[in-house]
Amino acid sequence: MKEHHSEQRHSAGVLNATSAFLLWGLFPLYFHAIGEVPPVEILAHRMVWSLLFLCIVLTWRQQWKWLPAVLRQPKTVATFAASALLLSANWFIYIWAVNNGHVIDASLGYFITPLLNVLLGLFVLKERLRAGQWLAIGVAATGVAWLTWQAGALPWIALLLAATFGAYGLLRKTATLAALEGLSFETLLLFPLAGGYVLWLTVHGANTFVNTPNDVTRALLVAAGPITAIPLLLFAAGARKIPLSVLGMLQYIAPTIQMILGLLVFHETFSKARLAGFIVIWSALALYMAEGFWMSRRTAAAG
């Protein structure tokens, strides 16, 4: 009976996490659909409508008791203010990339992120790396160097997306609040800036939400709330039920879908030289996952 319950829990976790990554993978279609809205305005609306949606969820679940205690902890507030700024920077870069024909570059950023997380663990959390992990990072660095050489410039979009999301993940890893409360607090901290900017746009007659003749655009901006929050909540639910190794493999669903969309839907250029760089980075990821799987099996056998 206990084993059956464990299998059900694992299956539910895989379904939740897979759903989150599938939704994140389809994000380019959403941002392209509201391409008439400037990236900064999309970002502001995303924060405003996300907070409204999260407030509804928290009220429905009667889950507000954590807020007064958090507000009395300046260190926690400062940590979440930093993570909120990193998250908003990541969102802005991603929105700008999608709406300026860089979907494939954006997908590369999320392929690189897990390896950057390993480096952050090394330098910030003082974790020790195994030989296989060093090799994976070295191979990935070779791929980035190749892409830099053949393009004549660093892949800034990918590196900035990886850096902001990696640093955000690091702060959230050490944070005291769970996913729902943490995301709600981040959007609450960002709301004065986002709400103020939307109000400023409205006063100056530049609010696309008000001015657009397209009701679909208006509806899609409102939908930014659930579109932002639901994948994050699904991810949090899944992460609690499945091993980190399984979660690590599933996370590549999103950038893979994004890359396919960049090729087939947005018709971005993908030269053979660029493909070679991606293959080297994918090889690094495969090496990293294989090494982690082998070590987990070895540990399990020893136990």
Side-chain angles (χ1 to χ4, degrees):
M1 187 71 178
K2 188 176 180 181
E3 186 177 334
H4 178 67
H5 176 72
S6 178
E7 287 179 5
Q8 283 187 321
R9 178 180 172 84
H10 184 274
S11 298
V14 170
L15 180 62
N16 286 335
T18 301
S19 300
F21 291 124
L22 284 171
L23 290 171
W24 277 328
L26 296 172
F27 265 24
L29 296 175
Y30 169 73
F31 291 119
H32 184 74
I34 51 174
E36 68 174 281
V37 187
V40 178
E41 189 176 346
I42 294 175
L43 180 63
H45 278 286
R46 194 175 181 184
M47 294 172 189
V48 169
W49 297 111
S50 293
L51 180 60
L52 177 62
F53 176 78
L54 290 165
C55 285
I56 292 170
V57 173
L58 287 168
T59 302
W60 176 62
R61 297 181 63 170
Q62 297 181 337
Q63 207 167 321
W64 283 104
K65 292 180 181 178
W66 55 273
L67 185 57
V70 169
L71 291 173
R72 291 193 294 269
Q73 302 170 26
K75 188 176 179 181
T76 301
V77 173
T79 299
F80 274 92
S83 67
L85 290 173
L86 284 167
L87 184 62
S88 59
N90 182 267
W91 284 354
F92 174 77
I93 295 163
Y94 184 79
I95 295 165
W96 182 90
V98 169
N99 289 345
N100 285 273
H102 296 286
V103 174
I104 293 175
D105 290 326
S107 74
L108 176 62
Y110 293 110
F111 279 121
I112 294 172
T113 299
L115 296 169
L116 181 67
N117 287 340
V118 177
L119 285 177
L120 287 171
L122 171 69
F123 292 112
V124 180
L125 301 179
K126 307 301 180 185
E127 296 174 353
R128 299 184 69 177
L129 299 189
R130 299 184 294 269
Q133 292 174 313
W134 275 116
L135 182 59
I137 290 171
V139 172
T142 303
V144 172
W146 168 256
L147 288 170
T148 300
W149 181 78
Q150 64 92 21
L154 279 170
W156 286 113
I157 294 170
L159 292 175
L160 285 172
L161 282 172
T164 52
F165 197 72
Y168 171 75
L170 179 68
L171 286 178
R172 288 306 306 270
K173 180 181 174 66
T174 56
T176 54
L177 294 178
L180 175 59
E181 293 87 345
L183 180 62
S184 300
F185 194 50
E186 285 167 349
T187 51
L188 187 65
L189 290 172
L190 291 168
F191 179 76
L193 289 173
Y197 181 65
V198 171
L199 184 62
W200 182 87
L201 289 174
T202 305
V203 170
H204 288 80
N207 187 343
T208 308
F209 182 84
V210 176
N211 297 340
T212 182
N214 192 343
D215 288 335
V216 174
T217 298
R218 197 173 287 114
L220 286 172
L221 284 173
V222 174
I227 285 172
T228 297
I230 288 172
L232 284 164
L233 298 176
L234 284 169
F235 172 77
R240 287 194 294 269
K241 297 173 184 173
I242 57 178
L244 200 59
S245 57
V246 177
L247 191 67
M249 286 186 281
L250 291 175
Q251 71 180 307
Y252 298 112
I253 292 171
T256 300
I257 294 173
Q258 291 167 10
M259 189 192 71
I260 292 169
L261 288 174
L263 286 170
L264 301 182
V265 177
F266 303 114
H267 307 293
E268 294 184 12
T269 56
F270 201 57
S271 65
K272 290 181 179 179
R274 199 178 187 192
L275 175 62
F278 267 72
I279 288 173
V280 172
I281 291 168
W282 290 332
S283 300
L285 292 171
L287 178 64
Y288 172 70
M289 288 190 292
E291 192 272 349
F293 179 73
W294 181 75
M295 286 300 297
S296 64
R297 288 291 296 271
R298 187 178 172 186
T299 304

